[in-house]
Amino acid sequence: MRSRYTGLLLAVTVVLGCPSSDDGGEGPGGGNPEEFYKGGSRLKAQVTKTAEGVRWPSEGYQWFDSTLNQICLWQETGTDGAFSCVPRDMDTLPNGEAGFFVDASCTEKLLSRSAPLPSGSHFVRKQGACGEPSRFYSVGEPFTNTTAYYKSGASCRSFSVPSNDKMYRVGAEVAAGTFARGTLRIGVSDARLSLQFIEGEDGSGQFVRLMDTARNTACGARWASDGKSRCLPLGPTTALGQLPFTAANESCTETAFASTCVTAPRFAVNYSQGPCGPGAKVHEVGEQLAQAYSSAGSGVCQPLTRAPVDTFYFRAGAEVPPSNFVEAKEIDIKTHGRLKVRGVALGDSVKVPLMLHDTELNTPCDFMEDMNRKLRCFPSSSTFTSNDLFADAACTTPLAIDDNPTCAAAPPSRYIIQSTFTGDGPPRYRAYHAGAKHDGPVFVRPMGGGTPAGCRSAQRIPEATYYKLGAEIAATSLVEGTPGRD
């Protein structure tokens, strides 16, 4: 959680496909958190509120569609820049000739699930070709035949449907008005950047991305190679690379950059550097690779044979100097008691709220459930424990692990977050002060319990730092939030 600015910004940027044109008009912006996420007559903003006046998006930007009685997310659904708030819990049909079919000519697809659909209205997504929006269909009647079909080369072959598989026919394409619709609008802008929002037809509104208007690409505040936070390219214009998972040469020393849209990427960026890294370098996209390589897992460089479907790999071209991208400077936007809304200012007038900051603990914080199912703003931390890691062979002294590399740029952790899964909903959390570093052997036992006899030695992660748990931070001492919709 130390990458403080990227989580919320990325959560909203991913709803967009390739950059779209806008038809003008004025929109919100200027850093006011209330304008970045507001409900309408149909779509209700899911927020967490505090007694001191904080109003913060719950679980990123997720909406409650009061007509469909479902959670939905905005997605581009038209080449004309139209958006729809589509149900979050939706199955996706395999692309192309993959998947299962009703008929012996393999033309009518089936939806296959491991569990039956719950009651209510359900929809299925068919992803479009590169650069095209997805299409959406209703889920039809259960498929009760014992024989279905699949494509094998040029042949359509039959198979016996396993008794525990749940299959459904795909119904008609959704009619206009089934999903709430929205339009992309420009908010505050200057000569180099603009804020873009989705304006719902019901009066709702949501910030979706920063646009580098000079390069016509979405961008986000990331640590750049000159040691400054800058608005670096994101989204479909950007091919991403990370060694050792994808390499461009047979010795696995040159990064290959991956994209799911062969015609779209114009930049190649490696965002994998941690707080000790030199920062991200932005390159122009180079030549497309006929073969990528990988040394992940085995440590031996070999041809990559199991690449994800519709993924293309590229070499890096010429580096784009970091000074070409707008600097993002940390600012405090608004104070509510001990919590501050903190964000970034870019250019002359663009401001984006990105996080909450607990001034008493001097740390970013996130609303999560405590052991009594109350929302509290827990300190953000990359150091965590799940009740299964210990400092002694009897498994009595719990440990936490920070698997980020340690260096001067990454000071020692001050807080530890412990997650507990109880089987009756989302995990519950506790917070601790970080205790002393532990440089000795580590031990594990079955998650969630076990006996001392089940305690066994474990291998240390070479670059990780281990901490003993210090004093617990009482959940009641943290700022309480109340979930709601408006």
Side-chain angles (χ1 to χ4, degrees):
M1 297 183 184
R2 280 185 177 141
S3 183
R4 295 176 294 173
Y5 304 135
T6 58
L8 189 54
L9 191 58
L10 286 174
V12 295
T13 300
V14 296
V15 306
L16 294 173
C18 298
S20 303
S21 60
D22 181 78
D23 60 3
E26 292 298 324
N32 183 356
E34 299 293 320
E35 296 180 332
F36 276 69
Y37 184 51
K38 63 178 183 177
S41 59
R42 173 175 175 173
L43 299 182
K44 305 303 179 183
Q46 300 207 121
V47 297
T48 299
K49 299 180 180 181
T50 71
E52 294 78 20
V54 170
R55 178 186 176 279
W56 198 246
S58 302
E59 301 181 69
Y61 290 90
Q62 297 188 16
W63 297 88
F64 179 75
D65 186 329
S66 58
T67 298
L68 293 179
N69 197 34
Q70 295 187 39
I71 304 300
C72 68
L73 303 169
W74 285 111
Q75 182 170 331
E76 192 167 10
T77 51
T79 55
D80 58 350
F83 287 78
S84 298
C85 201
V86 303
R88 177 192 62 187
D89 300 321
M90 184 187 302
D91 289 284
T92 300
L93 291 175
N95 283 335
E97 297 179 342
F100 304 122
F101 297 84
V102 172
D103 57 310
S105 58
C106 287
T107 56
E108 184 183 347
K109 279 200 171 181
L110 282 168
L111 169 63
S112 177
R113 305 185 87 251
S114 58
L117 287 167
S119 60
S121 300
H122 295 279
F123 307 92
V124 66
R125 176 191 289 108
K126 282 187 179 180
Q127 291 184 333
C130 180
E132 296 180 357
S134 298
R135 301 177 73 172
F136 302 90
Y137 300 81
S138 62
V139 176
E141 296 296 321
F143 180 74
T144 57
N145 294 1
T146 56
T147 299
Y149 299 85
Y150 69 97
K151 199 72 180 284
S152 176
S155 301
C156 188
R157 299 180 180 275
S158 65
F159 71 98
S160 296
V161 178
S163 59
N164 58 343
D165 280 10
K166 307 300 178 184
M167 291 191 176
Y168 297 83
R169 294 178 181 270
V170 177
E173 190 165 3
V174 297
T178 302
F179 304 146
R181 289 177 59 84
T183 306
L184 192 66
R185 299 290 188 213
I186 293 178
V188 171
S189 61
D190 61 21
R192 299 180 66 184
L193 287 175
S194 68
L195 290 172
Q196 293 196 344
F197 292 77
I198 293 175
E199 182 181 275
E201 61 186 357
D202 68 331
S204 57
Q206 175 191 313
F207 164 65
V208 287
R209 66 180 174 192
L210 281 163
M211 279 294 292
D212 181 331
T213 53
R215 292 165 185 80
N216 191 29
T217 179
C219 65
R222 304 298 295 262
W223 200 249
S225 58
D226 63 349
K228 296 181 178 180
S229 179
R230 296 186 177 274
C231 206
L232 302 184
L234 295 171
T237 62
T238 307
L240 301 177
Q242 185 179 5
L243 284 175
F245 300 102
T246 56
N249 58 352
E250 296 180 0
S251 58
C252 287
T253 56
E254 178 188 353
T255 300
F257 296 83
S259 172
T260 57
C261 200
V262 70
T263 60
R266 293 182 283 116
F267 305 99
V269 187
N270 188 349
Y271 284 127
S272 64
Q273 294 96 338
C276 306
K281 289 185 178 181
V282 179
H283 295 261
E284 296 175 356
V285 164
E287 64 177 346
Q288 185 179 345
L289 296 168
Q291 177 65 62
Y293 299 84
S294 177
S295 62
S298 66
V300 177
C301 190
Q302 54 192 341
L304 184 63
T305 58
R306 294 188 177 182
V309 176
D310 296 330
T311 299
F312 308 92
Y313 295 94
F314 301 84
R315 275 196 160 91
E319 184 178 355
V320 182
S323 58
N324 286 19
F325 302 98
V326 178
E327 185 176 358
K329 299 179 179 179
E330 183 179 284
I331 57 169
D332 289 331
I333 294 175
K334 204 167 186 178
T335 300
H336 301 275
R338 66 187 269 186
L339 296 186
K340 284 186 177 181
V341 177
R342 186 164 284 182
V344 289
L346 307 100
D348 299 326
S349 55
V350 176
K351 299 176 183 178
V352 183
L354 293 179
M355 54 179 270
L356 295 173
H357 187 87
D358 185 330
T359 56
E360 288 191 19
L361 295 178
N362 191 25
T363 180
C365 67
D366 301 294
F367 282 107
M368 300 185 294
E369 290 188 353
D370 67 12
M371 298 304 291
N372 293 314
R373 292 286 188 217
K374 291 184 177 294
L375 286 174
R376 308 281 184 178
C377 210
F378 280 87
S380 303
S381 179
S382 59
T383 307
F384 58 91
T385 179
S386 296
N387 304 314
D388 63 338
L389 189 65
F390 298 88
D392 62 308
C395 285
T396 58
T397 305
L399 286 177
I401 182 172
D402 183 348
D403 53 10
N404 282 337
T406 55
C407 61
S413 295
R414 293 186 294 125
Y415 303 106
I416 294 169
I417 299 299
Q418 182 184 74
S419 58
T420 300
F421 294 87
T422 58
D424 60 346
R428 304 180 189 186
Y429 293 90
R430 284 189 164 113
Y432 298 83
H433 293 280
K437 287 186 180 180
H438 175 73
D439 295 322
V442 298
F443 301 85
V444 295
R445 72 179 184 193
M447 185 177 293
T451 63
C455 194
R456 63 184 185 275
S457 179
Q459 186 174 357
R460 288 180 63 102
I461 299 175
E463 294 184 342
T465 304
Y466 294 82
Y467 294 90
K468 294 180 180 179
L469 274 60
E472 183 171 3
I473 301 171
T476 53
S477 72
L478 303 174
V479 176
E480 183 177 356
T482 302
R485 294 171 179 157
D486 59 30

